[in-house]
Amino acid sequence: MKAAIYHAFSHKEAKDHDVQELGSQRAEAFVRAFLKQSIPHMSQEDCESHLQRKAVILEYFTRLKPRPRPKKKSKGLSAKQRRDMRLFDIKPEQQRYSLFLPLHELWKQYIRDLCNGLKPDTQPQMIQAKLLKADLHGAIISVTKSKCPSYVGVTGILLQETKHVFKIITREDHLKVIPKLNCVFTIEIDDFISYIYGSKFQLRASERSAKKFKAKGSIDL
Amino acid sequence: MAGPVKDREAFQRLSFLYQAAHCVLSQNPENQALARFYCHTEKTIAKRLVLRQDPSVKRTLCRSCSSLLIPGLTCTQRQRRRKGQRWTVQTCLTCQRSQRFLNDPKHLLWGDRPEAQLENQADINPSEPLPNIADLPKENIQTQALNTSE
């Protein structure tokens, strides 16, 4: 108990603090009497065990580290970012007609496969229905009618189709941007000639695949 | 012979656009803008018509800028080791987006597993219902009653 609760002053400490030195027995008797007076309801053994018991710290508070935020999955670029980065703009040095002839051959092969061989006895309505849903990139397309006379007669390979325009590369290596509105285009595939009314065709290439075209309506520029 | 495929024309169109992107790049490796446009159109069509593309095709398209990923031309490919596993890291040179693929020869995609094919999936037949008691002769009814009581 002596070691756990208190220890007697040494001779030097007693002299420094000007305290009267008591014998070890007298000191212990005083401490016991003091404890009995302070805690009357506890027995001596309980009191000693209570005083000698070690405190156990149940909770240990650490400094909270700032949690690293989960990385956001970067989604695709927005339309504005695409325009700013010029992701889909064809550079002038790549605007050569000869470079896109293999693309046209690939397109012809695709259309033949789509229309099951394009036999002479095939119904034109069936081909037209397929062409409405088909992809036109790589087709040789020409403007037959237009409200703007300077567009009429422009022929070339279709490189890009957007909602409102066709981008066509001509034999003279010029990239022509022709609006769909108020224009009639012609596509020729193995002696089949198909007309596209641009005013009714004002859709994105991707939207056209899901669109249901209606037969009714006036066909005019 | 395989049965008729739903959205056959749409899949043909996706196939054409993917081939067109490759064709344009093979003719002129600098003409990445047009290949990117075709791949972007392909992705948009697939999303609009809810068509599932093969993972081998999806891995060759950048998920951010829709570039056609060709190692050494439009992307870089590196082998990395991490946690005892080997990964292929593909970084698009246009938008710097990186994709990691695990190098595990034992790993099989779900579509390549035999149980993914419909004809290999075992049809679990529902347990046959007990025959109607009214249709059975009397002797059978007695034996059935005995069996059930046991």
Side-chain angles (χ1 to χ4, degrees):
Chain A
M1 181 179 166
K2 180 182 173 182
I5 301 165
Y6 73 96
H7 74 88
F9 277 138
S10 66
H11 179 70
K12 191 186 176 187
E13 284 173 334
K15 201 174 184 182
D16 288 344
H17 294 291
D18 196 23
V19 176
Q20 186 187 357
E21 274 189 86
L22 293 171
S24 60
Q25 287 180 347
R26 281 181 71 191
E28 198 168 328
F30 167 75
V31 170
R32 279 189 180 151
F34 176 76
L35 285 172
K36 198 172 186 181
Q37 195 180 346
S38 302
I39 319 167
H41 60 275
M42 284 178 84
S43 66
Q44 193 179 334
E45 291 84 22
D46 289 343
C47 185
E48 282 186 22
S49 68
H50 187 72
L51 289 168
Q52 284 177 351
R53 189 181 65 194
K54 288 183 181 176
V56 179
I57 299 166
L58 295 174
E59 283 184 290
Y60 177 63
F61 292 100
T62 55
R63 271 195 306 126
L64 289 170
K65 291 177 183 176
R67 283 186 182 178
R69 286 184 181 179
K71 285 183 183 177
K72 281 186 180 177
K73 281 192 178 178
S74 58
K75 290 182 182 176
L77 302 169
S78 67
K80 187 178 186 299
Q81 285 172 316
R82 276 192 222 108
R83 279 196 298 273
D84 293 343
M85 290 171 77
R86 296 181 173 275
L87 286 183
F88 302 145
D89 290 4
I90 304 164
K91 292 172 187 172
E93 56 267 24
Q94 277 119 40
Q95 294 172 11
R96 296 210 307 276
Y97 185 82
S98 58
L99 286 175
F100 301 105
L101 284 170
L103 179 65
H104 174 60
E105 292 301 318
L106 184 70
W107 181 80
K108 281 203 288 190
Q109 194 180 327
Y110 156 66
I111 288 295
R112 285 190 195 115
D113 191 27
L114 189 71
C115 300
N116 303 318
L118 281 171
K119 292 156 192 163
D121 58 335
T122 316
Q123 288 184 336
Q125 289 86 355
M126 190 270 282
I127 293 171
Q128 282 185 329
K130 297 254 181 175
L131 272 176
L132 284 173
K133 299 284 179 79
D135 204 273
L136 300 177
H137 296 111
I140 287 182
I141 199 167
S142 55
V143 186
T144 49
K145 287 182 189 175
S146 177
K147 277 194 176 177
C148 177
S150 60
Y151 288 141
V152 179
V154 176
T155 306
I157 296 172
L158 176 66
L159 293 188
Q160 284 183 339
E161 180 192 350
T162 62
K163 189 171 184 176
H164 298 294
V165 298
F166 281 134
K167 290 185 184 178
I168 296 169
I169 189 145
T170 61
R171 288 180 191 274
E172 293 80 43
D173 296 341
H174 294 310
L175 188 73
K176 300 276 187 185
V177 180
I178 296 167
K180 293 178 182 178
L181 192 68
N182 303 326
C183 284
V184 179
F185 302 91
T186 308
I187 291 176
E188 192 174 340
I189 328 140
D190 295 349
D191 302 328
F192 279 97
I193 295 171
S194 188
Y195 292 99
I196 291 171
Y197 289 85
S199 302
K200 307 282 178 187
F201 218 67
Q202 288 196 308
L203 292 162
R204 290 187 184 92
S206 53
E207 286 174 2
R208 211 163 20 88
S209 55
K211 165 92 172 156
K212 285 182 181 174
F213 288 90
K214 289 171 185 171
K216 62 183 178 184
S218 61
I219 298 170
D220 195 13
L221 287 179
Chain B
M1 186 181 159
V5 182
K6 189 177 177 274
D7 294 318
R8 182 173 174 268
E9 289 167 22
F11 276 115
Q12 277 180 312
R13 189 176 179 186
L14 295 184
S15 173
F16 164 71
L17 283 166
Y18 188 69
Q19 287 177 66
H22 272 284
C23 177
V24 165
L25 269 185
S26 64
Q27 286 301 306
N28 185 4
E30 296 297 310
N31 199 352
Q32 289 173 26
L34 201 56
R36 198 178 292 124
F37 177 77
Y38 293 153
C39 291
H40 179 70
T41 308
E42 180 197 343
K43 276 176 79 173
T44 317
I45 291 167
K47 196 185 283 184
R48 187 167 283 276
L49 294 175
V50 198
L51 302 174
R52 301 185 76 175
Q53 290 179 288
D54 194 74
S56 60
V57 173
K58 286 196 284 187
R59 283 182 177 195
T60 55
L61 302 179
C62 177
R63 290 171 66 184
S64 176
C65 66
S66 303
S67 292
L68 185 65
L69 299 176
I70 296 171
L73 185 63
T74 57
C75 75
T76 58
Q77 224 173 37
R78 297 285 179 269
Q79 304 299 317
R80 296 275 180 264
R81 288 185 84 94
R82 191 171 177 229
K83 294 178 183 175
Q85 289 178 319
R86 290 170 68 189
W87 300 81
T88 300
V89 182
Q90 215 174 33
T91 310
C92 173
L93 295 175
T94 309
C95 63
Q96 311 306 318
R97 187 195 171 95
S98 60
Q99 288 177 287
R100 293 190 316 160
F101 306 113
L102 185 63
N103 276 359
D104 185 7
K106 293 173 189 172
H107 180 69
L108 268 178
L109 294 171
W110 168 252
D112 299 335
R113 291 183 192 173
E115 60 263 32
Q117 308 304 320
L118 275 172
E119 54 264 25
N120 294 345
Q121 288 178 1
D123 292 329
I124 302 160
N125 293 322
S127 56
E128 290 180 10
L130 288 168
N132 193 359
I133 294 173
D135 302 336
L136 291 172
K138 287 181 182 178
E139 294 164 355
N140 284 14
I141 294 166
Q142 280 182 337
T143 52
Q144 212 172 29
L146 286 168
N147 289 343
T148 50
S149 63
E150 284 172 8

